[in-house]
Amino acid sequence: MGGAFVAAAVLARLGSRIGLPTIPLFILAGILLGPHTPGIVLVKDPHELEMLSALGLVLLLFYLGLEFHLDDLKAGGRKMALAGGAYLLLNVGAGLGFGFALGWGTSEALVLAGVLGISSSAIVTKVLVDMGRIGNPETKPILGIIVVEDIFLALYLAALQPILSGADSAGAALVDGGKAFGFLLLLALAARYGTKVVGRLMNTRDDELLVISFLGAAVLVAGVSEWFGVADAIGAFMVGLMLGSTSSGDRIRELVHPLRDAFGAIFFFSFGLSINPGDLPSVVWPVLIAVAVTLFMNIAAGLSAAKIFGFGATPAANISTTLLARGEFALILATMAAGAGLDSRLAPFIAGYVLVLAVLGPLAAGRSHWLARILPGGRGGGDGDTPVREEPPPAAKDPQKDAEASVTH
């Protein structure tokens, strides 16, 4: 495990020098040091890290819940909802069509719809902060789309769980789905109306007691969620949603950061351990086609969002490229698919797809002006692009960086 942390850190440090995000590098470390690759093998059996990997997934979604607020969507209004809905319609719809076209099966197609349809909030956040685009006018639509995706993700995973669990009949699937949605509704009501009570229970000046309290709550509810057919990560997400609105919310966000980063790295590393590089050649063409589909749909979604908000070519290109990366949500779906015994090609496909887009996304975002030149209105002046270029580079290094990162959800 120590070797896993060190290997992930070394690769991440090297990658940061050329502007690469950490997620694909953690996965690559797992692939290179796993049992399927010649050379040094740190972990012979990926199941040895299974509990730590699960904890990493729980903490990732718990943190996402802390950053998520229903008020974010309300404040954005109708335009953000329309932009987010259009993004999901284009990308999830294309993912579903692509999944059926592959012919791997209906359950596999439903998984691929989510894999191709949902952006990586972690990478999107990093791109916005690192490139000094927090104050850009197109950033609000980007954040609005992320919020809509988060809502969709919670509902989608809850709906997908009974399907992947292999219910024996339609009636059994409906019962399982009813249990899942009932428990999800209970958690949502607790998040909406139980904040004050939970806040009093969590309130303490001792950081040690606060860490133990929120970590215990997140893991316990995640475990109970599985009993009701809801993905454990979604249970943790709802706990984060609840605690984020309490008086201790800001302290919890600060205290959970190192836990999220450490165990999140193990989650991505552990996923890499399960990937056999020898399986990747068999899915090269599906991966390349899926990447092309995602590129095309993201451009269409960027143009759609720009039209809704009255933006020009440069903001449209920024929206398209910033939301391109796929990451943690695709890996969550891959983990669920593996547990359900779906087509063995899914894991290498998702790994290859995530690796390509997690690297391509930030690189494309840094060169979005190339895309802007070929979009409608990109060659002419007066298209509304000028305000975007006025964002001063030092904004990314502002002392309020943590506060800016908090705004992204």
Side-chain angles (χ1 to χ4, degrees):
M1 181 177 166
F5 277 121
V6 171
V10 169
L11 276 180
R13 282 171 176 265
L14 293 175
S16 66
R17 295 185 178 182
I18 56 174
L20 292 180
T22 57
I23 289 175
L25 296 170
F26 292 155
I27 298 173
L28 182 61
I31 294 174
L32 294 177
L33 299 171
H36 306 295
T37 306
I40 299 173
V41 177
L42 288 181
V43 183
K44 293 182 179 180
D45 183 2
H47 293 292
E48 291 178 5
L49 296 180
E50 189 170 12
M51 180 61 74
L52 295 174
S53 173
L55 183 57
L57 181 57
V58 163
L59 288 171
L60 283 170
L61 268 290
F62 173 70
Y63 180 79
L64 188 61
L66 287 172
E67 295 290 349
F68 179 85
H69 297 284
L70 290 175
D71 292 340
D72 292 342
L73 186 58
K74 293 178 182 178
R78 181 171 170 269
K79 288 184 177 180
M80 284 191 183
L82 284 174
Y87 187 90
L88 286 173
L89 181 64
L90 288 168
N91 284 274
V92 175
L96 185 63
F98 173 79
F100 280 120
L102 281 180
W104 291 355
T106 301
S107 296
E108 287 78 1
L110 292 172
V111 170
L112 289 172
V115 169
L116 270 66
I118 301 177
S119 306
S120 167
S121 60
I123 297 177
V124 169
T125 300
K126 186 173 179 62
V127 167
L128 289 173
V129 174
D130 288 355
M131 294 188 177
R133 294 180 179 175
I134 292 293
N136 284 15
E138 77 275 6
T139 295
K140 287 186 178 180
I142 290 172
L143 301 182
I145 290 171
I146 290 294
V147 169
V148 173
E149 284 185 326
D150 292 344
I151 295 174
F152 174 80
L153 175 71
L155 298 175
Y156 187 72
L157 289 182
L160 198 60
Q161 188 72 17
I163 296 174
L164 296 184
S165 65
D168 296 331
S169 64
L174 287 174
V175 170
D176 290 344
K179 286 167 56 181
F181 277 110
F183 184 70
L184 196 62
L185 179 61
L186 180 64
L187 290 177
L189 290 173
R192 175 66 179 85
Y193 299 106
T195 303
K196 291 183 178 179
V197 175
V198 173
R200 292 194 194 100
L201 293 173
M202 285 286 165
N203 189 30
T204 176
R205 294 182 180 180
D206 190 314
D207 285 349
E208 180 184 10
L209 293 178
L210 184 58
V211 169
I212 294 172
S213 298
F214 74 68
L215 185 61
V219 176
L220 176 62
V221 174
V224 174
S225 296
E226 284 200 329
W227 290 351
F228 288 91
V230 177
D232 53 2
I234 293 303
F237 173 87
M238 298 304 294
V239 175
L241 186 67
M242 204 179 308
L243 297 183
S245 301
T246 66
S247 59
S248 302
D250 291 338
R251 287 175 60 210
I252 292 174
R253 289 185 193 93
E254 182 179 350
L255 292 169
V256 79
H257 263 147
L259 292 170
R260 180 207 65 179
D261 292 342
F263 289 100
I266 290 295
F267 169 72
F268 295 122
F269 180 88
S270 181
F271 183 78
L273 290 175
S274 65
I275 301 302
N276 186 346
D279 294 336
L280 294 178
S282 66
V283 293
V284 165
W285 286 112
V287 166
L288 293 178
I289 294 171
V291 168
V293 168
T294 303
L295 282 168
F296 180 80
M297 288 301 166
N298 265 54
I299 292 173
L303 289 171
S304 175
K307 184 175 182 180
I308 291 171
F309 283 84
F311 292 150
T314 296
N318 287 344
I319 294 171
S320 301
T321 54
T322 302
L323 291 167
L324 182 61
R326 300 297 187 262
E328 62 274 18
F329 298 143
L331 301 186
I332 291 169
L333 290 170
T335 302
M336 292 175 63
L342 299 187
D343 195 299
S344 60
R345 291 170 291 185
L346 267 180
F349 168 84
I350 293 174
Y353 176 74
V354 168
L355 281 170
V356 171
L357 283 183
V359 172
L360 181 62
L363 295 178
R367 295 158 180 80
S368 59
H369 56 281
W370 294 354
L371 175 61
R373 293 173 187 168
I374 62 174
L375 293 180
R379 293 182 180 277
D383 62 2
D385 295 348
T386 303
V388 179
R389 298 182 183 274
E390 293 178 356
E391 172 68 14
K397 300 179 180 179
D398 191 88
Q400 297 181 352
K401 181 177 178 182
D402 290 338
E404 290 173 348
S406 177
V407 170
T408 57
H409 279 291

